Each structure stands twice: as structure tokens, then as C-alpha cells.
Amino acid sequence: MIDDLDTLVVRVRKAKKEKEIVSIAYHGNIVEVWERFDIENVFVDLGSDQTSLHNPWSGGYYPVGFSLEESNEMMKNNPDLFKEKVQESLRRQAMAINKHTAKGSYFFDYGNAFLLEASRAGADVMADDGIHFKYPSYVQDIMGPLFFDYGFGPFRWVCTSNNPVDLEITDKIAAEILTELMRNSPAEIQSQMADNIQWIQGAQKNNLVVGSQARILYADAEGRIKIAEAFNKAIALGVISAPIVLGRDHHDVSGTDSPYRETSNIYDGSSFTADMAIQNVIGDAFRGATWVSIHNGGGVGWGEVINGGFGMLLDGTAEADGRLKSMLYWDVNNGISRRSWARNRGAINTAKRAMEINPNLKVTLPNFADDQLLEGLF
Ligand SMILES: NC(=O)c1ccc[n+]([C@@H]2O[C@H](COP(=O)([O-])OP(=O)(O)OC[C@H]3O[C@@H](n4cnc5c(N)ncnc54)[C@H](O)[C@@H]3O)[C@@H](O)[C@H]2O)c1
């Protein structure tokens, strides 16, 4: 933990020179770090912003040049001035980031509304077309094309017994299922499968549980269904001592419409609609979810996103077995269809694979137009 910039620069230079693997926390304003690293030519390989800009006027972002106490006082007694200072700070921050990226740094939006708020503040963050941002969100470059388009998302479960032994059994079951599925997985998802297996195999050793005996594991439609099916059987046999509740994060394939985050890698114009979360929740409800929720705000801020979620109780019964297969299938493939219609290559392949596995599924596949030919028409 470092709280002055001089020491920070020296410490970071040392770590870079010695190729040291270390995490350094700087206690201060991020704008000053970007600016100082630019002046000192400290190269930033990878940069993002993780302030709470979904809530810019009430303490999610602290403007440069003021102490925490001064900012809190201004926020309370002079909110208009505080707003001005936040926007000034965002313009300065974007300017400094632009200097770094001109030198080759890779900057991405973390889904915290940084680019959105910076653009509202008039910062230089827009692309030449004046519509898009000049930097991608991590969903556009990473999470979308590598994970969501293949159906991988943060599947979750909670052991209602709250017994760590049950959680350990579920971890083992999940690892076995994924290892088995990986044997026949297409080449394009082998690395995702390997990462998820490594994660679940190391989960017990890393002791990540605080509170409920719960786990989160990235898996695709097939993985989620097979894991849930095996849990339900283990509950029926008494190997797991009590029911399990399934769920997932909003940050997933299908449940969320958010043009600045979850659906930011959907480029057919539909990212500004909020249909998918609604279809997701309606489909999940009819297909057997124990509860569903539709909400607004999740992460990127009120009015910028619609989230659909579900909970599903597995109690070891045949009915639960039917429900989990029907609902989890929809919960993932609804988003795969949408992503495939948007012509995302990974999702097209995943939709084709889902139709091969289940001949009853019919998803219309998109046709690719020749852009040059179209442009010639107008
Ligand atoms: N991409 C994702 O998956 C994901 C996940 C969780 C949260 N988020 C988003 O990331 C943001 C941060 O989430 P969090 O849970 O860490 O929030 P948080 O509010 O707990 O932490 C944000 C921190 O930023 C600090 N901060 C504010 N302005 C600063 C400045 N100018 N310089 C330095 N520090 C400053 C705050 O003091 C606070 O400690 C939120 O907008 C959230 O929605 C994204």
C-alpha cells in the first residue's frame, strides 16, 4: 500500500525491471496516477477504471484535486459544483488515458459506466463516427466473443443444508461432469472448459467460501444441465443431504440487456432494446423456475440496463429433473439465438450445435450480406 506518487513510480519501475509479480495499491486519486505515469513514461500494458461511475453524483466517483472530506462536504452542500468537478475530473482522466493509449496501452471499459459518464461530461472518448466509444468494453473484446457467445456464464448453486461436506460433493460432481464433457467438446471451447475445470478443482483448496455454502462456476448450456441433473440425482440418493438452489449472475449470456455491458458485443442495432431479459424471464417462468425476477440497474446504473434472473430448487424429484432440463436449456439458448441473429460467429456455431443435440430446436440462422454490395445501393 503506497500513498505518495513519487514512491509509487519508483516501486512500479522496480517491479517492471525485475519482472516481479506483485499487486500494489495506491491510496489516492486515479487521475493523478494516469497523469504522472504519462509524464514519467511508465508504460501501462493494460488499463481500466473501476470507480463506481454508475453512481457518479453520490460518491461513486471522487474528483481529482479534493480530499475525501472536501468532496463529501461539497456533495452535500453544493451538489451542482460537485457535479461540475466530477465532470472536469473525467475529462482530465480521459485526456491522460488517451495519452497512454497513443503510446500503445490497451484500455477497456470495465462495465462501470466510465465511458458513458465520461462522454456525458464531454470527454474525448468518442470514436470518429460520434456514436460509438473509442475504447471497447471488456464484453466486446473478451467476455462476449470468448464466453457469452458460446453459452459460458456464471452458473451458481447454494447448498441449503449449509453443510461444507455437501459443497465438497457438488464440487467433485461438477469437476467430473466437466472433465467428461471436455472429451467431446469442439476445439473452440476446449480452453474455456480447461479453465473452468481448473477453477472447480482448486475451489476447495483455495477456500473461497464466506457465509453460505455456495459456488459459482462458468459453464455452457450442456455443462449447466448435466451438472444440475447429477446434483438432483445425488439429492435423490441421499449423497447430498438437502436440496440445492440454482441461480446465476445477471452478467451472463441471456439474462441482461445492457448496451454498455452484457449486450455491448451485439452489433445489429438491437443492443438498445430490452427484449431479451423479458423473454428470458418469461421462458424461465413457464419452464419451471422456482422464482424469477426482473430488475433494473445491475452494475451499470438505473435506466441503463434490464436484468432477468431466476432461482431453481432441486429437491431430488423427477419433476425437478424435468424442470431443470427444460429451463436451463432456455435460460442459455435464448441468448445464444439472439447473439447468433446478431451474426456473432461463436454464437452461430453454438446455435448449430444446440440444434444438432436437440433436433426439436429450430433457430433461424442469419445470412451474411456483402456490405460493399449494400453500400453501392445507397
Ligand atoms: N465488470 C464486472 O463484472 C463488474 C463487477 C462488479 C462491479 N462492476 C462495476 O465496477 C464498479 C466498481 O464496483 P465496486 O464494487 O468495486 O465498487 P466500490 O464502490 O466498492 O469501489 C469503488 C472504489 O473506487 C474508489 N474511487 C472513486 N473515485 C475514485 C478516484 N477518482 N480515484 C481513485 N479511487 C476512486 C472509491 O473510493 C471506492 O473505493 C461499479 O460501477 C460496478 O458496477 C463491474
Side-chain angles (χ1 to χ4, degrees), residues 160-205:
T160 60
S161 63
N162 207 30
N163 184 347
V165 176
D166 277 341
L167 187 64
E168 198 179 336
I169 297 169
T170 62
D171 285 344
K172 280 202 188 114
I173 292 175
E176 277 164 21
I177 301 268
L178 290 191
T179 309
E180 184 56 38
L181 288 179
M182 191 178 162
R183 283 189 236 283
N184 294 316
S185 294
E188 53 193 4
I189 61 166
Q190 285 283 326
S191 71
Q192 290 91 327
M193 295 296 282
D195 281 351
N196 298 326
I197 292 167
Q198 184 184 351
W199 158 261
I200 196 69
Q201 284 175 340
Q204 287 284 327
K205 193 177 74 201

mmCIF file of all heavy atoms in Angstrom, residues 160-205:
data_model
loop_
_atom_site.group_PDB
_atom_site.id
_atom_site.type_symbol
_atom_site.label_atom_id
_atom_site.label_comp_id
_atom_site.label_asym_id
_atom_site.label_seq_id
_atom_site.Cartn_x
_atom_site.Cartn_y
_atom_site.Cartn_z
ATOM 1 N N THR A 160 -28.531 -25.881 0.495
ATOM 2 C CA THR A 160 -29.430 -25.356 1.542
ATOM 3 C C THR A 160 -29.130 -25.986 2.909
ATOM 4 O O THR A 160 -29.548 -25.467 3.929
ATOM 5 C CB THR A 160 -30.917 -25.560 1.187
ATOM 6 O OG1 THR A 160 -31.157 -26.961 1.048
ATOM 7 C CG2 THR A 160 -31.313 -24.828 -0.074
ATOM 8 N N SER A 161 -28.411 -27.094 2.925
ATOM 9 C CA SER A 161 -28.030 -27.689 4.219
ATOM 10 C C SER A 161 -27.024 -26.785 4.932
ATOM 11 O O SER A 161 -26.838 -26.876 6.132
ATOM 12 C CB SER A 161 -27.368 -29.053 3.997
ATOM 13 O OG SER A 161 -26.167 -28.884 3.247
ATOM 14 N N ASN A 162 -26.360 -25.926 4.164
ATOM 15 C CA ASN A 162 -25.246 -25.097 4.655
ATOM 16 C C ASN A 162 -24.114 -25.963 5.211
ATOM 17 O O ASN A 162 -23.341 -25.513 6.055
ATOM 18 C CB ASN A 162 -25.720 -24.070 5.695
ATOM 19 C CG ASN A 162 -24.819 -22.844 5.707
ATOM 20 O OD1 ASN A 162 -24.252 -22.490 4.674
ATOM 21 N ND2 ASN A 162 -24.648 -22.221 6.864
ATOM 22 N N ASN A 163 -24.040 -27.175 4.690
ATOM 23 C CA ASN A 163 -23.030 -28.117 5.169
ATOM 24 C C ASN A 163 -21.853 -28.137 4.177
ATOM 25 O O ASN A 163 -22.028 -28.465 2.998
ATOM 26 C CB ASN A 163 -23.673 -29.508 5.278
ATOM 27 C CG ASN A 163 -22.722 -30.532 5.859
ATOM 28 O OD1 ASN A 163 -21.518 -30.289 5.958
ATOM 29 N ND2 ASN A 163 -23.271 -31.679 6.236
ATOM 30 N N PRO A 164 -20.630 -27.822 4.655
ATOM 31 C CA PRO A 164 -19.474 -27.798 3.742
ATOM 32 C C PRO A 164 -19.229 -29.146 3.057
ATOM 33 O O PRO A 164 -18.690 -29.185 1.956
ATOM 34 C CB PRO A 164 -18.288 -27.449 4.657
ATOM 35 C CG PRO A 164 -18.861 -26.990 5.944
ATOM 36 C CD PRO A 164 -20.277 -27.440 6.033
ATOM 37 N N VAL A 165 -19.654 -30.233 3.707
ATOM 38 C CA VAL A 165 -19.465 -31.561 3.087
ATOM 39 C C VAL A 165 -20.296 -31.647 1.799
ATOM 40 O O VAL A 165 -19.845 -32.165 0.772
ATOM 41 C CB VAL A 165 -19.864 -32.688 4.080
ATOM 42 C CG1 VAL A 165 -19.756 -34.058 3.412
ATOM 43 C CG2 VAL A 165 -18.986 -32.624 5.318
ATOM 44 N N ASP A 166 -21.509 -31.120 1.841
ATOM 45 C CA ASP A 166 -22.345 -31.120 0.630
ATOM 46 C C ASP A 166 -21.675 -30.321 -0.486
ATOM 47 O O ASP A 166 -21.668 -30.735 -1.640
ATOM 48 C CB ASP A 166 -23.729 -30.518 0.926
ATOM 49 C CG ASP A 166 -24.682 -31.545 1.537
ATOM 50 O OD1 ASP A 166 -24.405 -32.758 1.398
ATOM 51 O OD2 ASP A 166 -25.687 -31.131 2.145
ATOM 52 N N LEU A 167 -21.121 -29.177 -0.114
ATOM 53 C CA LEU A 167 -20.475 -28.348 -1.142
ATOM 54 C C LEU A 167 -19.302 -29.104 -1.764
ATOM 55 O O LEU A 167 -19.111 -29.087 -2.989
ATOM 56 C CB LEU A 167 -20.005 -27.008 -0.552
ATOM 57 C CG LEU A 167 -19.474 -26.027 -1.596
ATOM 58 C CD1 LEU A 167 -20.565 -25.594 -2.573
ATOM 59 C CD2 LEU A 167 -18.863 -24.791 -0.940
ATOM 60 N N GLU A 168 -18.561 -29.790 -0.922
ATOM 61 C CA GLU A 168 -17.413 -30.552 -1.428
ATOM 62 C C GLU A 168 -17.884 -31.617 -2.428
ATOM 63 O O GLU A 168 -17.259 -31.827 -3.470
ATOM 64 C CB GLU A 168 -16.696 -31.199 -0.230
ATOM 65 C CG GLU A 168 -15.299 -31.615 -0.575
ATOM 66 C CD GLU A 168 -14.577 -32.226 0.620
ATOM 67 O OE1 GLU A 168 -14.948 -31.929 1.779
ATOM 68 O OE2 GLU A 168 -13.647 -33.013 0.380
ATOM 69 N N ILE A 169 -18.995 -32.275 -2.094
ATOM 70 C CA ILE A 169 -19.519 -33.306 -3.021
ATOM 71 C C ILE A 169 -19.932 -32.649 -4.347
ATOM 72 O O ILE A 169 -19.634 -33.160 -5.424
ATOM 73 C CB ILE A 169 -20.708 -34.063 -2.371
ATOM 74 C CG1 ILE A 169 -20.224 -34.819 -1.123
ATOM 75 C CG2 ILE A 169 -21.355 -35.019 -3.365
ATOM 76 C CD1 ILE A 169 -21.340 -35.373 -0.252
ATOM 77 N N THR A 170 -20.591 -31.493 -4.253
ATOM 78 C CA THR A 170 -21.025 -30.842 -5.512
ATOM 79 C C THR A 170 -19.809 -30.431 -6.344
ATOM 80 O O THR A 170 -19.837 -30.548 -7.569
ATOM 81 C CB THR A 170 -21.914 -29.599 -5.256
ATOM 82 O OG1 THR A 170 -21.168 -28.622 -4.522
ATOM 83 C CG2 THR A 170 -23.199 -29.935 -4.546
ATOM 84 N N ASP A 171 -18.765 -29.956 -5.694
ATOM 85 C CA ASP A 171 -17.550 -29.566 -6.437
ATOM 86 C C ASP A 171 -16.986 -30.761 -7.202
ATOM 87 O O ASP A 171 -16.605 -30.646 -8.364
ATOM 88 C CB ASP A 171 -16.468 -29.039 -5.476
ATOM 89 C CG ASP A 171 -16.776 -27.638 -4.958
ATOM 90 O OD1 ASP A 171 -17.642 -26.971 -5.553
ATOM 91 O OD2 ASP A 171 -16.151 -27.227 -3.962
ATOM 92 N N LYS A 172 -16.964 -31.900 -6.520
ATOM 93 C CA LYS A 172 -16.418 -33.117 -7.158
ATOM 94 C C LYS A 172 -17.300 -33.519 -8.337
ATOM 95 O O LYS A 172 -16.797 -33.850 -9.414
ATOM 96 C CB LYS A 172 -16.386 -34.270 -6.139
ATOM 97 C CG LYS A 172 -15.199 -34.190 -5.216
ATOM 98 C CD LYS A 172 -14.873 -35.569 -4.609
ATOM 99 C CE LYS A 172 -13.804 -35.411 -3.546
ATOM 100 N NZ LYS A 172 -14.257 -35.711 -2.194
ATOM 101 N N ILE A 173 -18.610 -33.495 -8.121
ATOM 102 C CA ILE A 173 -19.533 -33.881 -9.209
ATOM 103 C C ILE A 173 -19.324 -32.952 -10.406
ATOM 104 O O ILE A 173 -19.180 -33.399 -11.548
ATOM 105 C CB ILE A 173 -21.014 -33.813 -8.731
ATOM 106 C CG1 ILE A 173 -21.277 -34.892 -7.683
ATOM 107 C CG2 ILE A 173 -21.974 -33.931 -9.908
ATOM 108 C CD1 ILE A 173 -22.668 -34.836 -7.049
ATOM 109 N N ALA A 174 -19.273 -31.636 -10.138
ATOM 110 C CA ALA A 174 -19.131 -30.663 -11.233
ATOM 111 C C ALA A 174 -17.824 -30.879 -11.988
ATOM 112 O O ALA A 174 -17.796 -30.845 -13.230
ATOM 113 C CB ALA A 174 -19.218 -29.240 -10.680
ATOM 114 N N ALA A 175 -16.739 -31.138 -11.251
ATOM 115 C CA ALA A 175 -15.441 -31.351 -11.910
ATOM 116 C C ALA A 175 -15.487 -32.597 -12.781
ATOM 117 O O ALA A 175 -14.997 -32.602 -13.915
ATOM 118 C CB ALA A 175 -14.333 -31.462 -10.860
ATOM 119 N N GLU A 176 -16.115 -33.667 -12.273
ATOM 120 C CA GLU A 176 -16.204 -34.914 -13.061
ATOM 121 C C GLU A 176 -17.010 -34.696 -14.338
ATOM 122 O O GLU A 176 -16.625 -35.124 -15.418
ATOM 123 C CB GLU A 176 -16.896 -36.017 -12.237
ATOM 124 C CG GLU A 176 -15.950 -36.724 -11.286
ATOM 125 C CD GLU A 176 -16.707 -37.521 -10.222
ATOM 126 O OE1 GLU A 176 -17.895 -37.853 -10.439
ATOM 127 O OE2 GLU A 176 -16.111 -37.782 -9.153
ATOM 128 N N ILE A 177 -18.137 -33.985 -14.196
ATOM 129 C CA ILE A 177 -19.004 -33.769 -15.376
ATOM 130 C C ILE A 177 -18.262 -32.949 -16.430
ATOM 131 O O ILE A 177 -18.252 -33.302 -17.608
ATOM 132 C CB ILE A 177 -20.305 -33.019 -14.960
ATOM 133 C CG1 ILE A 177 -21.074 -33.817 -13.918
ATOM 134 C CG2 ILE A 177 -21.138 -32.629 -16.173
ATOM 135 C CD1 ILE A 177 -22.107 -34.756 -14.408
ATOM 136 N N LEU A 178 -17.627 -31.868 -16.005
ATOM 137 C CA LEU A 178 -16.940 -31.021 -16.997
ATOM 138 C C LEU A 178 -15.791 -31.779 -17.660
ATOM 139 O O LEU A 178 -15.558 -31.645 -18.862
ATOM 140 C CB LEU A 178 -16.430 -29.727 -16.355
ATOM 141 C CG LEU A 178 -17.481 -28.703 -15.927
ATOM 142 C CD1 LEU A 178 -16.816 -27.375 -15.575
ATOM 143 C CD2 LEU A 178 -18.548 -28.464 -16.988
ATOM 144 N N THR A 179 -15.067 -32.580 -16.872
ATOM 145 C CA THR A 179 -13.944 -33.347 -17.440
ATOM 146 C C THR A 179 -14.471 -34.302 -18.511
ATOM 147 O O THR A 179 -13.894 -34.448 -19.588
ATOM 148 C CB THR A 179 -13.213 -34.126 -16.323
ATOM 149 O OG1 THR A 179 -12.908 -33.203 -15.273
ATOM 150 C CG2 THR A 179 -11.938 -34.760 -16.809
ATOM 151 N N GLU A 180 -15.592 -34.925 -18.222
ATOM 152 C CA GLU A 180 -16.203 -35.864 -19.166
ATOM 153 C C GLU A 180 -16.659 -35.105 -20.435
ATOM 154 O O GLU A 180 -16.375 -35.524 -21.555
ATOM 155 C CB GLU A 180 -17.404 -36.528 -18.452
ATOM 156 C CG GLU A 180 -18.130 -37.601 -19.215
ATOM 157 C CD GLU A 180 -17.225 -38.728 -19.682
ATOM 158 O OE1 GLU A 180 -16.313 -39.104 -18.925
ATOM 159 O OE2 GLU A 180 -17.417 -39.203 -20.825
ATOM 160 N N LEU A 181 -17.322 -33.961 -20.217
ATOM 161 C CA LEU A 181 -17.828 -33.201 -21.380
ATOM 162 C C LEU A 181 -16.689 -32.679 -22.248
ATOM 163 O O LEU A 181 -16.818 -32.604 -23.470
ATOM 164 C CB LEU A 181 -18.681 -32.007 -20.906
ATOM 165 C CG LEU A 181 -20.058 -32.333 -20.324
ATOM 166 C CD1 LEU A 181 -20.761 -31.049 -19.886
ATOM 167 C CD2 LEU A 181 -20.922 -33.072 -21.350
ATOM 168 N N MET A 182 -15.585 -32.332 -21.599
ATOM 169 C CA MET A 182 -14.466 -31.749 -22.353
ATOM 170 C C MET A 182 -13.926 -32.728 -23.404
ATOM 171 O O MET A 182 -13.452 -32.316 -24.454
ATOM 172 C CB MET A 182 -13.350 -31.343 -21.383
ATOM 173 C CG MET A 182 -12.284 -30.498 -22.047
ATOM 174 S SD MET A 182 -11.044 -30.016 -20.852
ATOM 175 C CE MET A 182 -9.715 -29.560 -21.952
ATOM 176 N N ARG A 183 -14.050 -34.010 -23.112
ATOM 177 C CA ARG A 183 -13.544 -35.015 -24.065
ATOM 178 C C ARG A 183 -14.183 -34.859 -25.437
ATOM 179 O O ARG A 183 -13.549 -35.078 -26.458
ATOM 180 C CB ARG A 183 -13.843 -36.433 -23.548
ATOM 181 C CG ARG A 183 -12.932 -36.881 -22.452
ATOM 182 C CD ARG A 183 -13.186 -38.381 -22.191
ATOM 183 N NE ARG A 183 -13.529 -38.627 -20.806
ATOM 184 C CZ ARG A 183 -12.676 -38.650 -19.800
ATOM 185 N NH1 ARG A 183 -11.432 -38.463 -20.018
ATOM 186 N NH2 ARG A 183 -13.064 -38.858 -18.564
ATOM 187 N N ASN A 184 -15.460 -34.478 -25.476
ATOM 188 C CA ASN A 184 -16.144 -34.357 -26.777
ATOM 189 C C ASN A 184 -16.463 -32.910 -27.145
ATOM 190 O O ASN A 184 -17.267 -32.660 -28.032
ATOM 191 C CB ASN A 184 -17.454 -35.169 -26.758
ATOM 192 C CG ASN A 184 -17.185 -36.643 -26.637
ATOM 193 O OD1 ASN A 184 -16.294 -37.165 -27.308
ATOM 194 N ND2 ASN A 184 -17.894 -37.313 -25.737
ATOM 195 N N SER A 185 -15.854 -31.973 -26.450
ATOM 196 C CA SER A 185 -16.151 -30.561 -26.756
ATOM 197 C C SER A 185 -15.431 -30.140 -28.026
ATOM 198 O O SER A 185 -14.312 -30.578 -28.280
ATOM 199 C CB SER A 185 -15.653 -29.655 -25.630
ATOM 200 O OG SER A 185 -16.363 -29.895 -24.473
ATOM 201 N N PRO A 186 -16.065 -29.243 -28.816
ATOM 202 C CA PRO A 186 -15.370 -28.752 -30.003
ATOM 203 C C PRO A 186 -14.105 -27.973 -29.629
ATOM 204 O O PRO A 186 -14.005 -27.429 -28.512
ATOM 205 C CB PRO A 186 -16.400 -27.835 -30.679
ATOM 206 C CG PRO A 186 -17.515 -27.657 -29.726
ATOM 207 C CD PRO A 186 -17.413 -28.690 -28.663
ATOM 208 N N ALA A 187 -13.172 -27.916 -30.565
ATOM 209 C CA ALA A 187 -11.875 -27.281 -30.305
ATOM 210 C C ALA A 187 -12.037 -25.857 -29.786
ATOM 211 O O ALA A 187 -11.298 -25.421 -28.892
ATOM 212 C CB ALA A 187 -11.054 -27.283 -31.587
ATOM 213 N N GLU A 188 -13.035 -25.114 -30.307
ATOM 214 C CA GLU A 188 -13.156 -23.697 -29.954
ATOM 215 C C GLU A 188 -13.543 -23.456 -28.487
ATOM 216 O O GLU A 188 -13.419 -22.332 -28.004
ATOM 217 C CB GLU A 188 -14.121 -22.987 -30.909
ATOM 218 C CG GLU A 188 -15.459 -23.672 -31.015
ATOM 219 C CD GLU A 188 -16.299 -23.175 -32.183
ATOM 220 O OE1 GLU A 188 -15.821 -22.342 -32.956
ATOM 221 O OE2 GLU A 188 -17.448 -23.624 -32.295
ATOM 222 N N ILE A 189 -14.025 -24.483 -27.776
ATOM 223 C CA ILE A 189 -14.338 -24.247 -26.350
ATOM 224 C C ILE A 189 -13.446 -25.059 -25.408
ATOM 225 O O ILE A 189 -13.676 -25.091 -24.201
ATOM 226 C CB ILE A 189 -15.836 -24.471 -26.016
ATOM 227 C CG1 ILE A 189 -16.268 -25.922 -26.299
ATOM 228 C CG2 ILE A 189 -16.725 -23.484 -26.734
ATOM 229 C CD1 ILE A 189 -17.624 -26.267 -25.659
ATOM 230 N N GLN A 190 -12.424 -25.705 -25.965
ATOM 231 C CA GLN A 190 -11.540 -26.510 -25.116
ATOM 232 C C GLN A 190 -10.864 -25.682 -24.019
ATOM 233 O O GLN A 190 -10.756 -26.108 -22.880
ATOM 234 C CB GLN A 190 -10.460 -27.194 -25.977
ATOM 235 C CG GLN A 190 -10.970 -28.375 -26.784
ATOM 236 C CD GLN A 190 -11.156 -29.638 -25.944
ATOM 237 O OE1 GLN A 190 -10.411 -29.881 -25.014
ATOM 238 N NE2 GLN A 190 -12.161 -30.439 -26.281
ATOM 239 N N SER A 191 -10.403 -24.468 -24.369
ATOM 240 C CA SER A 191 -9.665 -23.683 -23.367
ATOM 241 C C SER A 191 -10.602 -23.186 -22.267
ATOM 242 O O SER A 191 -10.228 -23.144 -21.096
ATOM 243 C CB SER A 191 -8.897 -22.529 -24.015
ATOM 244 O OG SER A 191 -9.787 -21.555 -24.451
ATOM 245 N N GLN A 192 -11.854 -22.848 -22.645
ATOM 246 C CA GLN A 192 -12.814 -22.438 -21.610
ATOM 247 C C GLN A 192 -13.080 -23.602 -20.658
ATOM 248 O O GLN A 192 -13.127 -23.441 -19.441
ATOM 249 C CB GLN A 192 -14.165 -22.000 -22.232
ATOM 250 C CG GLN A 192 -14.123 -20.698 -22.991
ATOM 251 C CD GLN A 192 -13.803 -20.899 -24.461
ATOM 252 O OE1 GLN A 192 -13.063 -21.804 -24.827
ATOM 253 N NE2 GLN A 192 -14.323 -20.033 -25.315
ATOM 254 N N MET A 193 -13.261 -24.789 -21.229
ATOM 255 C CA MET A 193 -13.525 -25.965 -20.393
ATOM 256 C C MET A 193 -12.343 -26.211 -19.447
ATOM 257 O O MET A 193 -12.531 -26.449 -18.256
ATOM 258 C CB MET A 193 -13.749 -27.209 -21.273
ATOM 259 C CG MET A 193 -14.981 -27.164 -22.149
ATOM 260 S SD MET A 193 -16.540 -27.109 -21.251
ATOM 261 C CE MET A 193 -16.735 -28.802 -20.761
ATOM 262 N N ALA A 194 -11.130 -26.131 -20.004
ATOM 263 C CA ALA A 194 -9.940 -26.395 -19.179
ATOM 264 C C ALA A 194 -9.848 -25.390 -18.027
ATOM 265 O O ALA A 194 -9.573 -25.769 -16.878
ATOM 266 C CB ALA A 194 -8.690 -26.331 -20.055
ATOM 267 N N ASP A 195 -10.108 -24.104 -18.306
ATOM 268 C CA ASP A 195 -10.064 -23.081 -17.250
ATOM 269 C C ASP A 195 -11.080 -23.381 -16.152
ATOM 270 O O ASP A 195 -10.792 -23.237 -14.959
ATOM 271 C CB ASP A 195 -10.427 -21.699 -17.823
ATOM 272 C CG ASP A 195 -9.262 -21.073 -18.560
ATOM 273 O OD1 ASP A 195 -8.154 -21.611 -18.493
ATOM 274 O OD2 ASP A 195 -9.490 -20.040 -19.225
ATOM 275 N N ASN A 196 -12.288 -23.764 -16.570
ATOM 276 C CA ASN A 196 -13.350 -23.978 -15.587
ATOM 277 C C ASN A 196 -13.093 -25.220 -14.738
ATOM 278 O O ASN A 196 -13.417 -25.246 -13.554
ATOM 279 C CB ASN A 196 -14.712 -24.034 -16.292
ATOM 280 C CG ASN A 196 -15.003 -22.718 -16.989
ATOM 281 O OD1 ASN A 196 -14.620 -21.657 -16.498
ATOM 282 N ND2 ASN A 196 -15.629 -22.782 -18.142
ATOM 283 N N ILE A 197 -12.485 -26.223 -15.370
ATOM 284 C CA ILE A 197 -12.133 -27.429 -14.612
ATOM 285 C C ILE A 197 -11.042 -27.086 -13.586
ATOM 286 O O ILE A 197 -11.114 -27.478 -12.419
ATOM 287 C CB ILE A 197 -11.686 -28.564 -15.571
ATOM 288 C CG1 ILE A 197 -12.900 -29.036 -16.389
ATOM 289 C CG2 ILE A 197 -11.053 -29.723 -14.808
ATOM 290 C CD1 ILE A 197 -12.570 -29.923 -17.567
ATOM 291 N N GLN A 198 -10.079 -26.297 -14.027
ATOM 292 C CA GLN A 198 -9.005 -25.902 -13.094
ATOM 293 C C GLN A 198 -9.589 -25.137 -11.903
ATOM 294 O O GLN A 198 -9.231 -25.335 -10.749
ATOM 295 C CB GLN A 198 -7.977 -25.046 -13.831
ATOM 296 C CG GLN A 198 -6.797 -24.700 -12.939
ATOM 297 C CD GLN A 198 -5.808 -23.778 -13.614
ATOM 298 O OE1 GLN A 198 -5.901 -23.503 -14.809
ATOM 299 N NE2 GLN A 198 -4.862 -23.288 -12.856
ATOM 300 N N TRP A 199 -10.539 -24.254 -12.217
ATOM 301 C CA TRP A 199 -11.173 -23.438 -11.168
ATOM 302 C C TRP A 199 -11.908 -24.309 -10.155
ATOM 303 O O TRP A 199 -11.714 -24.184 -8.946
ATOM 304 C CB TRP A 199 -12.122 -22.434 -11.840
ATOM 305 C CG TRP A 199 -13.206 -21.887 -10.950
ATOM 306 C CD1 TRP A 199 -14.505 -22.309 -10.886
ATOM 307 C CD2 TRP A 199 -13.095 -20.819 -9.997
ATOM 308 N NE1 TRP A 199 -15.208 -21.573 -9.966
ATOM 309 C CE2 TRP A 199 -14.367 -20.648 -9.403
ATOM 310 C CE3 TRP A 199 -12.043 -19.995 -9.604
ATOM 311 C CZ2 TRP A 199 -14.605 -19.696 -8.438
ATOM 312 C CZ3 TRP A 199 -12.295 -19.036 -8.627
ATOM 313 C CH2 TRP A 199 -13.555 -18.891 -8.060
ATOM 314 N N ILE A 200 -12.716 -25.236 -10.668
ATOM 315 C CA ILE A 200 -13.545 -26.011 -9.735
ATOM 316 C C ILE A 200 -12.694 -27.031 -8.979
ATOM 317 O O ILE A 200 -12.947 -27.314 -7.816
ATOM 318 C CB ILE A 200 -14.772 -26.653 -10.457
ATOM 319 C CG1 ILE A 200 -15.829 -27.129 -9.460
ATOM 320 C CG2 ILE A 200 -14.411 -27.751 -11.422
ATOM 321 C CD1 ILE A 200 -16.543 -26.026 -8.738
ATOM 322 N N GLN A 201 -11.641 -27.531 -9.632
ATOM 323 C CA GLN A 201 -10.758 -28.472 -8.919
ATOM 324 C C GLN A 201 -9.977 -27.778 -7.797
ATOM 325 O O GLN A 201 -9.631 -28.393 -6.805
ATOM 326 C CB GLN A 201 -9.790 -29.157 -9.896
ATOM 327 C CG GLN A 201 -10.491 -30.231 -10.718
ATOM 328 C CD GLN A 201 -9.593 -30.846 -11.774
ATOM 329 O OE1 GLN A 201 -8.586 -30.259 -12.151
ATOM 330 N NE2 GLN A 201 -9.972 -32.005 -12.273
ATOM 331 N N GLY A 202 -9.713 -26.481 -7.977
ATOM 332 C CA GLY A 202 -8.944 -25.754 -6.961
ATOM 333 C C GLY A 202 -9.823 -25.060 -5.934
ATOM 334 O O GLY A 202 -9.327 -24.450 -4.974
ATOM 335 N N ALA A 203 -11.154 -25.134 -6.113
ATOM 336 C CA ALA A 203 -12.057 -24.332 -5.277
ATOM 337 C C ALA A 203 -11.950 -24.675 -3.794
ATOM 338 O O ALA A 203 -11.889 -23.777 -2.946
ATOM 339 C CB ALA A 203 -13.494 -24.502 -5.767
ATOM 340 N N GLN A 204 -11.903 -25.955 -3.463
ATOM 341 C CA GLN A 204 -11.829 -26.345 -2.053
ATOM 342 C C GLN A 204 -10.514 -25.875 -1.426
ATOM 343 O O GLN A 204 -10.502 -25.284 -0.357
ATOM 344 C CB GLN A 204 -11.934 -27.876 -1.919
ATOM 345 C CG GLN A 204 -13.327 -28.417 -2.174
ATOM 346 C CD GLN A 204 -14.267 -28.177 -1.012
ATOM 347 O OE1 GLN A 204 -13.866 -28.178 0.144
ATOM 348 N NE2 GLN A 204 -15.536 -27.950 -1.312
ATOM 349 N N LYS A 205 -9.437 -26.120 -2.169
ATOM 350 C CA LYS A 205 -8.105 -25.782 -1.649
ATOM 351 C C LYS A 205 -7.984 -24.266 -1.413
ATOM 352 O O LYS A 205 -7.386 -23.817 -0.439
ATOM 353 C CB LYS A 205 -7.054 -26.260 -2.648
ATOM 354 C CG LYS A 205 -5.635 -26.244 -2.099
ATOM 355 C CD LYS A 205 -4.650 -26.809 -3.112
ATOM 356 C CE LYS A 205 -4.445 -25.789 -4.192
ATOM 357 N NZ LYS A 205 -3.961 -26.135 -5.430
#
